[in-house]
Amino acid sequence: MATLFTRIIQGEIPAEKVYEDDHVVAFRDINPQAPVHVLIVPRQEIAGLASLPDQGDHRYLLNAAKVIAESLGISESGYRLVINQGVDGGQTVDHLHVHLLGGRRLDWPPG
Ligand code: AMP
């Protein structure tokens, strides 16, 4: 059974994609927590950080984040990358993803 994010990557479920390459796809979060809130997802179905393989598409997430932040105009103002892992981390979709948040001043520490 394909994950929700695989179904978005394959176009079965609509989403506003902002970036894609051979390894990752990025699209706007359906429930944005900041003016810019993008999810960057490896094409490979990796459940999360706790089951990260040694090799794979996750290795391209950070470089994609840098490129996407530049393309969305938040590189200079700043932004935050978040990966939620497991129940305590608040993970709700079991397909590894990086939240790219920006466009406003973000609080620290997170709640
Ligand atoms: P997490 O809680 O870290 O697992 O993040 C999952 C994220 O997926 C949440 O921020 C949701 O708002 C987002 N999300 C869930 N369904 C969709 C969807 N169909 N399109 C875009 N984002 C989604």
Side-chain angles (χ1 to χ4, degrees):
M1 178 86 178
T3 69
L4 170 65
F5 289 164
T6 292
R7 295 177 69 198
I8 288 174
I9 289 169
Q10 293 176 344
E12 289 174 32
I13 295 174
E16 187 186 341
K17 291 178 183 165
V18 298
Y19 176 86
E20 54 186 309
D21 64 26
D22 289 346
H23 304 283
V24 309
V25 176
F27 47 88
R28 305 257 185 202
D29 196 291
I30 202 169
N31 182 24
Q33 302 302 310
V36 173
H37 187 173
V38 166
L39 301 176
I40 312 169
V41 182
R43 289 183 182 274
Q44 185 180 352
E45 284 191 345
I46 299 165
L49 281 175
S51 53
L52 209 63
D54 290 338
Q55 304 291 328
D57 286 342
H58 59 286
R59 295 183 304 158
Y60 299 86
L61 290 168
L62 289 183
N63 290 83
K66 171 179 174 280
V67 170
I68 295 163
E70 288 169 354
S71 74
L72 296 179
I74 57 170
S75 198
E76 285 190 21
S77 53
Y79 53 90
R80 182 173 297 163
L81 303 182
V82 173
I83 299 177
N84 296 324
Q85 167 60 44
V87 174
D88 280 0
Q91 184 177 10
T92 59
V93 177
D94 289 338
H95 185 152
L96 181 68
H97 50 284
V98 176
H99 296 256
L100 168 62
L101 296 146
R104 68 168 171 84
R105 187 65 65 90
L106 299 165
D107 294 334
W108 189 265

